[in-house]
Each structure stands twice: as structure tokens, then as C-alpha cells.
Amino acid sequence: MNKLQMTAPCHFGLEKTLAFEIKQAGGENLETTDGRINFSGTTDVLVRANISCRTAERIGVVLARFRAETFDDVFDTVKRLPVGEYLPRDAAFPVTKGQSVNSKLTSIPALQRTVKKALAEAMSAAYKNATLPESGAVYSVRFFLHKDEFTLFLDSSGEGLHKRGYRRNAGIAPIKETLAAGIIDIARVKVDNCVIDPFCGSGTILIESAMKALRIPPGLNRRFSAEKWAFVPKSAWHEQRELLKANILPESDFAAIGYDIDPECVKLTLTNARKAGVDKYVRAETRAIAAFEYPERDTRTVVITNPPYAERMLEKADTQRIYREMGQRFGRGHELFIITSDAGFEAQFGREAKKNRKLYNGMLMCRLYTF
């Protein structure tokens, strides 16, 4: 099989980080669009990207990219695809997800039905079979329609790549693992740093920081849909896992410290750190922001945090009080990376950020303030 064409969506604002990760995985011919990286590579690249990328939401194998302004455009193009190159005779091929942005075709259910019918015709033509059992491995189909440009792809990841396996339970309004990993990359967390999160919740920022510092691949201990695909060698999964395991640091001076006013969040942080295999490097304790203090450390210390938003947990007056306390407790001269949706954050914090960048936490537009 020739090199695969692939696509990887990410949070808006993390495209540069994901592009670097894709290159590290061996991806070639990168094309960056808003919230997405398109690239090419071998099946080894597909496997390695799934296991190693920290900010990708999933890795897709592109079946087709074409202009589609009518349902006939979609149907006529999809039914002619050489699907036999990817899908075996008994493949199950549900059309599970779709998205349409700034396009003439907007009905996702109607598009799903059109794609499914066209793929069924393509499969029947490929295998000269009027009936399709769909009793074999699952090849989930997704599509993305942006400005009438239609991308049809197979979802090789299955569950979203943010699901690392360590966070089966989460606190209130947790930050997504992939977004946390992107912020950690922006903060340039290194192997000997100390990362502090004074609103640690379920410990996501601390755990993702430790995994990055120790070079632990985020997908090392989870499974992927493509592990059952016929055109991806089963040996590739073992080989790539072993290669990535060899890069993990056995020891490090890294430290991650979390505080939270809720003792249940502290327990959850420690439990999740243990599941992730980084509990040696993560500690947490119950402490309000008003009692925050920096630890005595000779190495670089950086605060990375996702404080409460009025939209999520508290009333606006409560969040403003917290932001004022943060400004009082976080001394000048320390590096801070704070993500919030509150446009008035700097005024309450008492300082103007050195830099702020737009990021999305789910559908919520936020800004990452750097001090």
C-alpha cells in the first residue's frame, strides 16, 4: 500500500504543537488548517501518532477530499471510492460522526445517510456482493465539511485520544487532557522543572506535565480501533510501543505539586497519578488559594492552572475574589500560565499579562495568560 493520507484534529490554538508532534512521529507533507493537521505517512506513522501525540484528538485515514455543494456530489464521489483497499468484505463501517462548518450542506443526519448508502454501493461493487454482513472489525467512518470541502476518513483511534486511561473519574469542570498537554508544551516544561497547580481538580495538568517530562507516551497503555484493521500490521503496534518505551526516563528531578480547597479533589489527583504511573513525582494537599506559597526549589518553578470560571462552577463575585487572591499570592518574577474564559481576568488579577493567546476549552472560548 502507498503512503496513507491522514488527518488529525486538535483544539484551536494548538496547531503548531500538534504539527511538531506529527513530525516527530514521522509524518510528512504537513498541511495546517484551523484546528487540524493533514499529513501523509506509512502505517508505522499511523501507529506511532496514535500512541505518542499528546494534543491530537484522533488520527484519521483519509479516504477522500473533494468539493461538495450538493448531496449528489457526496454520493457520486463516495460510491466510486476504491474502498476495497482499506475495508475487507466483512468490515463493519458505521458512519459515526460528522461536522459541517460554513458549508451549504448542514444536515449531519442526512449526510450520514448519504455517505453510508454510497459506501455500501462502493463495497458491493468492490466485492461483487449484494449483501454486506458487517460482522467483522469496525472501521468507523467520519466526515468533516468546511467551506464546502468534504473530508471523509476512517477513525483509527476509536475513543478520543484525550482518554489516556488514568482519569476514569474527574472533578467538576475538568480540563481536557489534550488541552492541558498543549498548555504544558507552550510553558516549555522540562525534565527538572517543578510544576504547581493551585486548583488541581483531578490532577490533569500535574499528570500531563509529569508524563511529558518523563517522556511517557500518552497512549502507551490504551487500545485503538486500528489494532483490528487488516491493512495495519499487528506487529507495528508492539514494535512502536517498544520503541517509545525505550525513550522513557527511568529517573528525573521533576516535581508536580497540586493544591485544592476540596479534599476529595486532592484524593482524586493522587489516585489518578498512581494510575498514570507518575505518583512518585506528584504530591497534592488541601489548601485554599489564600494560603498559597511557593516551595523551596533551586530549579525552575512554573505555575500552570485552570482556575474556576463563573460559567462553570461559581458566581462571578466568587471568581473575582479568587483572581484577586491569586494576584496577591503569585509573586512577581515567577512564571505563570493561567487559562480562563473571564475577559476581565487581568483587571482582577492586578497585572497585565506578558502575552495572551486564544484557546478553546470545549466550546468555551478562553485565553491563556502568560506572566
Side-chain angles (χ1 to χ4, degrees), residues 153-286:
F153 62 95
L154 300 175
D155 174 14
S156 73
S157 303
E159 285 196 306
L161 293 181
H162 70 281
K163 294 189 177 181
R164 323 292 208 202
Y166 64 77
R167 198 179 76 175
R168 303 198 186 282
N169 297 307
I172 299 172
I175 189 170
K176 206 171 181 181
E177 293 89 335
T178 43
L179 177 57
I183 294 171
I184 290 158
D185 183 78
I186 292 168
R188 300 187 182 278
V189 170
K190 304 296 183 185
V191 65
D192 61 348
N193 292 172
C194 175
V195 171
I196 306 174
D197 183 358
F199 303 95
C200 64
S202 56
T204 305
I205 288 173
L206 304 175
I207 294 167
E208 290 293 324
S209 295
M211 291 176 70
K212 180 176 176 63
L214 295 163
R215 302 176 193 164
I216 299 173
L220 191 62
N221 297 315
R222 57 158 284 173
R223 294 296 171 185
F224 306 91
S225 289
E227 290 187 65
K228 296 182 179 179
W229 289 2
F231 69 87
V232 181
K234 292 195 179 344
S235 59
W237 297 95
H238 174 73
E239 291 168 3
Q240 291 300 322
R241 281 190 171 99
E242 291 303 307
L243 286 170
L244 290 164
K245 277 183 186 177
N247 291 328
I248 297 174
L249 298 179
E251 294 292 335
S252 171
D253 292 329
F254 177 81
I257 302 171
Y259 304 118
D260 204 287
I261 197 171
D262 185 350
E264 291 302 313
C265 287
V266 171
K267 289 180 185 177
L268 190 55
T269 290
L270 297 175
T271 297
N272 289 341
R274 186 168 60 253
K275 289 177 181 176
V278 295
D279 48 312
K280 177 180 177 181
Y281 301 94
V282 176
R283 68 179 178 88
E285 61 183 72
T286 304

Side-chain angles (χ1 to χ4, degrees), residues 298-358:
D298 294 330
T299 56
R300 178 187 182 229
T301 298
V302 56
V303 171
I304 306 175
T305 194
N306 174 41
Y309 311 164
E311 290 92 340
R312 305 182 312 162
M313 297 165 59
L314 301 173
E315 296 296 331
K316 193 169 185 67
D318 293 321
T319 59
Q320 289 179 344
R321 172 185 54 78
I322 289 171
Y323 296 161
R324 288 194 296 271
E325 290 175 342
M326 288 168 63
Q328 294 162 7
R329 302 306 298 180
F330 296 161
R332 294 179 182 273
H334 289 280
E335 293 181 81
L336 312 171
F337 295 84
I338 303 166
I339 183 170
T340 176
S341 65
D342 193 325
F345 172 77
E346 289 169 300
Q348 298 301 323
F349 189 71
R351 269 184 270 166
E352 184 177 339
K354 176 182 177 183
K355 186 175 183 180
N356 77 74
R357 67 182 75 201
K358 186 187 295 184

Side-chain angles (χ1 to χ4, degrees), residues 144-156:
F144 177 67
L145 189 55
H146 181 240
K147 294 182 179 178
D148 300 322
E149 173 87 4
F150 196 97
T151 301
L152 185 71
F153 62 95
L154 300 175
D155 174 14
S156 73

Side-chain angles (χ1 to χ4, degrees), residues 11 173-176 179 306 309 312 339 359-366:
H11 285 272
I175 189 170
K176 206 171 181 181
L179 177 57
N306 174 41
Y309 311 164
R312 305 182 312 162
I339 183 170
L359 292 175
Y360 279 82
N361 189 358
M363 297 302 293
L364 190 62
M365 199 280 279
C366 298

Side-chain angles (χ1 to χ4, degrees), residues 8-21:
C10 65
H11 285 272
F12 287 102
L14 298 184
E15 294 88 353
K16 185 177 179 181
T17 297
L18 177 56
F20 178 78
E21 293 174 351

Side-chain angles (χ1 to χ4, degrees), residues 68-123:
E69 298 184 11
T70 69
F71 288 103
D72 285 343
D73 290 338
V74 176
F75 183 82
D76 292 341
T77 303
V78 174
K79 77 174 183 179
R80 292 194 299 268
L81 294 177
V83 293
E85 294 180 8
Y86 300 96
L87 278 63
R89 183 188 299 271
D90 65 346
F93 50 99
V95 183
T96 56
K97 293 285 185 178
Q99 190 176 6
S100 177
V101 179
N102 298 330
S103 298
K104 294 180 180 66
L105 299 176
T106 59
S107 173
I108 300 304
L111 283 165
Q112 287 175 305
R113 291 191 296 270
T114 301
V115 169
K116 179 67 178 184
K117 184 178 179 181
L119 282 174
E121 288 207 12
M123 287 288 284

